[in-house]
Structures are given as structure tokens and as C-alpha cells.
Amino acid sequence: LRTNFLKIGKWVKREFLVIDGYALKCGRGGPRTPQFQHLKDDLILITMVHPNNPQKQISFRAKLTPQVLEYLKSMILWLSSSNPSNNNIALIGPAGSGKNLLAYVLCALARRNLYQMSFHADMTEDDLLFRTTFGQEGKLETGKQISENLEAADDPEGGIAIADEYNKPRNIQVL
């Protein structure tokens, strides 16, 4: 991925995201796909639906540094493997180091849907499969909807799921 390709490339029609010869098939995109806009040189603007509030949008800038491109290249190499067990990547690092941002950039560039599930101390096994709703369709009652995990697993184009904070001791028991 070169910055001059970002400037002249027709991103809407591309079939593959290619970085240094490593390719990942792009999706068609959808309502959960972060959008990006090339600002200048190696800087892009990512716009996406807020993970906790679908009525809000958030935007942030991402710099495609050589290190970020190396991480993306490694992720593309892993995800494009013909081995189906290579569909999972664990990004491990301290808080604020850019793990989620890296996943957002990959989703935006490869036009893949993003599914984000934040784990918490009171999470149960049921929470992995369903999320509790209240007031859906104008009804003042609780209900259940399929969780982000199941939606991601069912995405025909290979959506990308983020399991945030899954590594906390209580959350590991749920898995």
C-alpha cells in the first residue's frame, strides 16, 4: 500500500487490499463497515458507527506508518491463508496502544463489516450468544437479540469481530 496508490486508487471498485504483494479479498461493505477518506500522504480519516450507540457516528485519524503497514501486512497474510483455523488473530498490548484502531483500519481498507463486543465482569455464557434489549420496536419489555459474536460468525463476507477485554480473569472463565 503506497501513499500514491491511496491518492489515485479507485477504492470503491477494488477487489483486494494489497500490501507489499500480500492480498486480502475485499468485501462489499455494509452498514457496519467503517469508511475511510484519504486526507494527505499517509493520513486517513476513519468514520464508523459508535460501537455502543448505533445512532451516533465517530471519526478519528489514523496514520499509516511503516509499522502500521507491517502489522496490516501480517494480518492480511494470516487471514488470507487457506487454513480455516487461521481466522483468529489476538492483538495483545497495553491499553491505548492502538489494537482496536488497527482492526478499524483493516475493516475500512478491506471493506469488511466490524462487530465489536466488550466483555465485562458480570458477563455470562448467554451473553456470548445473545444480548438483552429493552424497548425494541416500541415495546416496553425486554428481549433477546443475537450477539455480535454470532453476527460476525454468520457474515458471508468474513466480518471482523473484536472481543474487547476478553483477557480479564473473570472473562476467560466465560469463554
Side-chain angles (χ1 to χ4, degrees), residues 28-88:
R28 287 190 305 264
R32 292 177 170 270
T33 305
Q35 303 299 310
F36 82 93
Q37 175 186 355
H38 180 245
L39 297 177
K40 64 177 185 171
D41 298 325
D42 56 358
L43 191 64
I44 62 175
L45 178 71
I46 304 281
T47 304
M48 57 185 265
V49 173
H50 191 284
N52 299 324
N53 184 351
Q55 278 65 45
K56 287 178 67 178
Q57 286 205 341
I58 55 174
S59 296
F60 44 88
R61 294 177 179 186
K63 190 170 177 107
L64 300 177
T65 64
Q67 184 178 16
V68 168
L69 292 175
E70 278 301 310
Y71 285 136
L72 288 172
K73 185 170 69 173
S74 297
M75 292 166 74
I76 287 170
L77 179 63
W78 188 258
L79 292 171
S80 62
S81 166
S82 60
N83 183 348
S85 67
N86 286 358
N87 291 332
N88 302 305

Side-chain angles (χ1 to χ4, degrees), residues 95-108:
S97 61
K99 299 176 296 290
N100 285 358
L101 179 61
L102 193 59
Y104 301 157
V105 169
L106 181 64
C107 285

Side-chain angles (χ1 to χ4, degrees), residues 117-121 123 128 149 162-166 171 174-175:
M117 183 173 207
S118 294
F119 284 54
H120 51 84
M123 189 164 222
L128 291 174
N149 287 336
I162 296 176
D164 207 12
E165 304 295 333
Y166 81 93
N171 297 336
V174 172
L175 293 175

Side-chain angles (χ1 to χ4, degrees), residues 106-137:
L106 181 64
C107 285
L109 295 178
R111 284 194 327 262
R112 299 283 184 101
N113 286 323
L114 172 68
Y115 301 90
Q116 187 162 354
M117 183 173 207
S118 294
F119 284 54
H120 51 84
D122 296 324
M123 189 164 222
T124 66
E125 292 84 357
D126 281 351
D127 294 326
L128 291 174
L129 302 174
F130 303 101
R131 62 178 172 252
T132 304
T133 61
F134 179 79
Q136 295 293 94
E137 301 172 6

